Amino acid sequence: MKNFLTLFALLVMIPISVLFANEDWGRTGHRATGEIAEQHLSKKAKREITKLLNGQSLAIVSTYADEIKSDEKYRSYGPWHYVNYPFGGSYATHPKSERGDLIQGIDKCVSVLKDANSSREDKIFHLKLLVHFVGDLHQPLHVGIAEDRGGNRFQVRWFDKGTNLHRVWDEHLIEEYNMTYTELAENSKSISEKQIEFIQSGTVQDWMAESREICEDVYANTKSGEDLRYNYMYRYMDTVRSQLQKGGVRLAGILNEIFD
Ligand code: ADE
Ligand code: ZN
Ligand code: ZN
């Protein structure tokens, strides 16, 4: 009986857990944002970050926050990956999640990095998380609604295969686009110094509000059970690429401010 249960667990439960695991912008999206940020770092910030990360790139460390999710020890960081509040409501007036959220998470990372009393180890950990969370902030469904867990319970089809709206935005759109993270970074739209400054202006909550607007547009344009195909890519791929770029440019802005 015990053997049977073990076998059952291996054959059924593990594939199911993989099927339902929700990541975030898949690895490619997070890495593209890290790579774009790297290109916009000041000399000083770049030097400090290289020292902290022992030469690892922002692209490489961008997925760390997802990798630690399966470790019990880091369970408390789960709610930092997203922020939910009702459509028609506002973040400011909605009761804050006591377990933390994306905004509180980013604020915490920035304050640890700015604090001269933080240990090197703490700084490294929160730097890796910051790179990831600024990426998540630009995934429109990570500024979502609690009812369907940011679209994780909004069933749709992707080229006739069953999936959910959250995964379409985390992974399917970018996967189908079929570019590596370096290709995505290299082929992002060229922007002037003025545009960079404009993109970097505002607060984390302003950027959250931009994601929320896109999120609302996505809900207005996606029906439950709909089979999403090339027309969906045509509608949204520019938005995805622009969000990856804004995420990278803004991450660099935050890091330049911290380390300069
Ligand atoms: N779980 C609950 N809400 C979520 C969201 N908006 N994004 C990712 N995971 C979630
Ligand atoms: Zn996600
Ligand atoms: Zn995440």
Side-chain angles (χ1 to χ4, degrees), residues 22-25 136 139 142 152 166 170:
N22 55 67
E23 292 204 358
D24 308 289
W25 272 147
D136 278 346
Q139 205 285 45
H142 277 244
N152 274 298
H166 192 94
D170 268 354

Side-chain angles (χ1 to χ4, degrees), residues 151-169:
N152 274 298
R153 291 185 183 155
F154 188 128
Q155 302 303 312
V156 293
R157 304 185 77 74
W158 180 253
F159 290 93
D160 209 26
K161 272 214 175 99
T163 184
N164 66 63
L165 186 59
H166 192 94
R167 290 194 65 176
V168 167
W169 279 83

